[in-house]
Amino acid sequence: MSPSRSETDTDAPVDPLRPDDHADGDGSAIAQPALGVMGWARWAWRQLTSMRTALLLLLLLAVAAVPGSLFPQRSADPNGVIQWQRDNPEAYPIVDAIGLFDVYQSPWFSAIYLLLFASLIGCVTPRTKHHYKALRSQPPRTPVRLSRLDDYEERTVPAADPASQAREAVDVADRQLRRAGYRVRRYDGRGWLSVSAERGYLRETGNLVFHTALIGVLVSVGLGGGFSYTGQRVVVEGTTFVNALSDYSSFDAGRFIDGTGLAPYSLTLDEFQVTYQRPGTPGAGQAGDFSADVTVRIPGEEDRTESVIVNYPISVAGDRIHLLGNGYAPTITVRDAAGELVYTESQPFLPQDSNMTSLGIIKIPDGLPEQVGLVGFFYPTAGVLDSGAYTSIYGDVVNPLLTFNVYSGDLGIDDGTPRSVYTLETDGLTQHTGGQTGVDSIELTPGETAELPNGWGTVTWEIASPEDPVKRFASLQIQRDPTAGWVLAFSILAMLGLFAGLFVPRRRVWVKAHPTDDGVRLEYAGLARGEDPTLRKAVVDIADAHTEALTGVSDPSPQKERTDELPR
C-alpha cells in the first residue's frame, strides 16, 4: 500500500495563495455550513413562492379536479354514488376512502388548493413591489455604441445647420415616441443628442393582474364553498315544493349554512311540457324541448309564473333553480281486503332508457298483513320484444302499460337506517309475482284494478286526467352561491391580464443624432425583454416615420441598413 500524502509530505512547503480546502491542499474536508431551522424554512418558502412552483401547483390542481368529473359526487349526485356502490361493491370502500366521491372537500385537494394560494401570494407580493418601483423609474441612459445592438438602423439627412437640425431631430423623435405610448427621457453626450424610450410595462401589469385575479378566484371559491348550498327535489305535477330543509330530497350545504335561514318561497309545478319527434320523421322518438311551468310564491309579492328550461335556470330570492331531469309519475292506489284505503300517491318512476321505460318502487309498511314492496315498470308506449318481454318503443304516452312484481317481508323501514325511496333491497324478501315464482306480474292500464296476492287487497292505476292519464315529474336542483358573481368577475379579469401578458411586447428604443459635415447622422436601435419577433420591423418603422417627418421623404439615406445581412 502506498503511503498517504499526509505521511510523506508533512514537511512540504505550503503555498500561501492556495486555500487549505483546495483539492490539493492539506486542510480538512470542505465544511458545509449548517442551515438550521430558519435557513431551511427560508429555503422552503423560496421554493414554494417561485413561479415554477405556482405553475406546477396550478397544473396539479387541474389534474386533481379530473376525478370530480369521472366519479359521481355526493354534493351533486348522491343517488349516483349509491348506484356506483351497487355496481362496484368491492372497489367502493377503496374509492370512498380516497375521497373520490367528495373530491372538492377532500384533504388532498384542499392541501393543493391552500399551497397554490400561498404560492401565488408569495409570487405576487414581491413582484408587485418591484413593478411599482420600475414604473416610477426613468428610461435607461442611451448606450454609447448603438451599433452593437442587433436591431439597428442608421440614416443620414442633409442639413444646412447640422447642430440645429440634430436638436430638431431629437425633438421630433421625442414627440413621435410619446404619441406611440413610450415613456421618454432625453440624454445627451459629447457630440451627440439622443432620446431614450421604453414601453410594454402593461405586459408585467397584465401578469400581475392575472395572478392576483387567480387569488381572487381561489378566495371567492373558498368563501363560496362555506356560504353556498345545493339541493335536489322531485316535484310531481300539481304538487308544491317549499324551500325548507325538510322538503328537500337531498341537501348539501357549506360549513356556515345550517339550513334554518333559507329564503321563504314555494314552487308549484303546474305542468311539464315535452315534445317528441313523431315516428317516420328524422330523429323519431327523440325528445325536443323540455319546459317545467311553475308558479312562484314569495311572501309579500304577487305570484308569478316561470318556465324552467334545460340550461336556462330561473332565479328566485337569490336561488338558481335548474331543471335536471323528468319522467312519469303514475298515481297508484292500494286498498286492503276490506276496501279500506292504505296507500295513494303519484310515485315518480325513474327513466331507464331513451324511450322512457321507467322503474318505480312503492313501499307499503302498514295496512296490509305484511309489509309489501312493489317493483314496477312503466311503459309509455308498450311493445313486445322477441323474447316476450315488454319494452317502450316511444317516449310519449300512446299505449301505456304498468307492471308490478310483489314482494313481502321486512322492508328495513323500522330499523332507523335511511333508505332511498327509489330502491328496494329484495334480499330477504319473499317474491310473489314475476321472475321464478311461476305467477305472472301484475299488469295494469290506466283506470284498471288488479288483485294483490294472498287476498291482501287491490292495486289501482288511477287516471290523472282525461287529457293526460299519467302525471309527469320534474327533477329540480336549487342552488345558491353568493360568490358566483365574484368568481365570474375575477375570471374575466384573469383573462384580460393573460392577454396583456401574452400580446403586449416589452421593449426599449433609442434615437441618437450626430451633427456631421454631411448633415445629421441618425441612429435607431431597439432592445426587447424576451422574445420579440416584431422588434426589427418596429425599429425600421420608427426610422421611416422619423426621417419622413424631418425631410418629407421616406428613407432619404442612400446607404443600405447595416443589419441587412443579420438574421431577423
Side-chain angles (χ1 to χ4, degrees):
M1 179 180 297
S2 301
S4 66
R5 175 182 173 89
S6 61
E7 295 173 350
T8 60
D9 297 339
T10 53
D11 297 331
V14 178
D15 186 351
L17 300 180
R18 176 173 292 179
D20 289 341
D21 58 359
H22 189 270
D24 295 333
D26 294 329
S28 58
I30 299 174
Q32 177 74 22
L35 290 179
V37 176
M38 293 303 298
W40 281 109
R42 292 191 189 96
W43 178 86
W45 176 251
R46 291 193 186 100
Q47 298 302 313
L48 177 63
T49 56
S50 67
M51 186 56 63
R52 181 180 300 176
T53 303
L55 293 175
L56 179 62
L57 288 172
L58 187 61
L59 176 62
L60 190 60
L61 187 71
V63 173
V66 170
S69 61
L70 300 179
F71 294 88
Q73 300 297 293
R74 284 194 176 91
S75 59
D77 187 13
N79 291 328
V81 176
I82 296 174
Q83 186 61 44
W84 201 96
Q85 180 181 10
R86 288 197 185 123
D87 296 339
N88 307 273
E90 296 181 356
Y92 176 81
I94 300 175
V95 175
D96 189 35
I98 298 174
L100 297 184
F101 298 120
D102 298 283
V103 169
Y104 309 111
Q105 299 176 5
S106 62
W108 47 270
F109 189 87
S110 300
I112 300 173
Y113 182 93
L114 293 175
L115 285 174
L116 176 60
F117 183 76
S119 180
L120 287 174
I121 292 179
C123 288
V124 170
T125 302
R127 287 181 62 179
T128 301
K129 294 180 179 178
H130 178 76
H131 185 55
Y132 176 74
K133 292 180 180 178
L135 289 175
R136 294 174 59 86
S137 64
Q138 297 294 333
R141 297 187 64 86
T142 305
V144 176
R145 297 181 181 178
L146 291 178
S147 58
R148 290 184 174 181
L149 300 178
D150 289 340
D151 298 293
Y152 173 78
E153 280 286 310
E154 183 176 325
R155 307 282 173 86
T156 300
V157 296
D161 184 357
S164 176
Q165 189 71 15
R167 287 191 294 272
E168 180 184 355
V170 173
D171 291 339
V172 171
D174 186 298
R175 292 193 296 270
Q176 288 182 332
L177 291 172
R178 288 183 187 276
R179 286 198 298 267
Y182 285 86
R183 296 194 307 160
V184 176
R185 180 69 183 268
R186 293 283 296 272
Y187 294 104
D188 298 333
R190 182 178 298 177
W192 52 267
L193 302 101
S194 74
V195 59
S196 175
E198 63 179 352
R199 64 178 294 182
Y201 280 94
L202 183 61
R203 183 187 187 96
E204 179 64 12
T205 302
N207 287 328
L208 293 175
V209 168
F210 171 73
H211 290 94
T212 303
L214 283 183
I215 297 174
V217 170
L218 293 176
V219 172
S220 299
V221 171
L223 292 177
F227 291 96
S228 63
Y229 62 81
T230 301
Q232 289 80 32
R233 182 66 163 90
V234 172
V235 185
V236 179
E237 286 179 330
T239 62
T240 299
F241 160 74
V242 178
N243 190 35
L245 186 61
S246 59
D247 215 20
Y248 279 92
S249 301
S250 63
F251 189 81
D252 182 69
R255 64 184 61 190
F256 305 117
I257 299 295
D258 58 6
T260 59
L262 303 182
Y265 64 84
S266 65
L267 300 174
T268 299
L269 179 58
D270 301 318
E271 183 180 8
F272 187 87
Q273 302 183 45
V274 59
T275 58
Y276 294 92
Q277 296 295 327
R278 290 294 179 182
T281 62
Q286 297 296 317
D289 296 331
F290 299 93
S291 176
D293 299 333
V294 298
T295 298
V296 181
R297 298 180 178 87
I298 302 177
E301 299 182 12
E302 292 187 5
D303 297 351
R304 69 176 191 269
T305 301
E306 300 266 8
S307 294
V308 188
I309 304 173
V310 177
N311 297 328
Y312 292 94
I314 64 173
S315 296
V316 179
D319 290 353
R320 300 281 286 176
I321 300 176
H322 303 258
L323 177 62
L324 297 184
N326 69 94
Y328 292 98
T331 303
I332 306 301
T333 298
V334 176
R335 299 179 184 274
D336 62 14
E340 296 293 330
L341 182 66
V342 174
Y343 173 94
T344 182
E345 189 171 338
S346 296
Q347 177 62 34
F349 279 49
L350 303 182
Q352 306 296 304
D353 58 30
S354 59
N355 287 324
M356 300 300 289
T357 299
S358 304
L359 170 66
I361 304 297
I362 295 176
K363 299 179 182 180
I364 307 172
D366 302 304
L368 299 179
E370 295 185 49
Q371 292 187 352
V372 173
L374 305 179
V375 178
F377 282 91
F378 173 70
Y379 310 95
T381 303
V384 182
L385 300 174
D386 295 337
S387 62
Y390 287 116
T391 186
S392 178
I393 60 176
Y394 188 63
D396 206 354
V397 177
V398 177
N399 180 33
L401 178 67
L402 188 60
T403 65
F404 283 114
N405 288 336
V406 182
Y407 295 82
S408 66
D410 185 4
L411 302 182
I413 297 177
D414 300 329
D415 61 1
T417 303
R419 307 281 181 176
S420 172
V421 297
Y422 302 109
T423 60
L424 178 66
E425 297 292 342
T426 58
D427 296 340
L429 300 180
T430 302
Q431 185 173 355
H432 298 277
T433 64
Q436 303 298 323
T437 63
V439 180
D440 292 339
S441 300
I442 295 176
E443 297 183 6
L444 296 172
T445 57
E448 192 174 7
T449 299
E451 296 288 333
L452 291 172
N454 304 324
W456 286 338
T458 61
V459 54
T460 303
W461 182 1
E462 306 287 353
I463 297 177
S465 68
E467 298 81 12
D468 296 310
V470 186
K471 291 183 178 181
R472 300 201 65 133
F473 72 84
S475 178
L476 303 179
Q477 176 171 290
I478 297 90
Q479 184 176 18
R480 176 184 284 267
D481 186 358
T483 61
W486 288 102
V487 172
L488 177 61
F490 282 122
S491 299
I492 295 174
L493 195 61
M495 292 299 297
L496 295 176
L498 181 62
F499 290 150
L502 290 176
F503 299 115
V504 175
R506 174 81 178 274
R507 57 175 60 138
R508 290 171 177 171
V509 174
W510 294 275
V511 179
K512 183 184 288 188
H514 302 264
T516 66
D517 295 337
D518 298 330
V520 178
R521 182 166 65 92
L522 300 172
E523 293 183 276
Y524 308 89
L527 183 65
R529 183 173 183 177
E531 294 293 331
D532 187 356
T534 63
L535 179 60
R536 171 64 183 169
K537 183 178 183 302
V539 172
V540 174
D541 290 343
I542 290 173
D544 290 344
H546 184 237
T547 54
E548 185 176 2
L550 294 176
T551 65
V553 180
S554 179
D555 192 5
S557 177
Q559 63 181 356
K560 293 290 185 180
E561 301 100 9
R562 182 190 66 86
T563 53
D564 277 349
E565 304 301 326
L566 294 178
R568 301 288 177 93

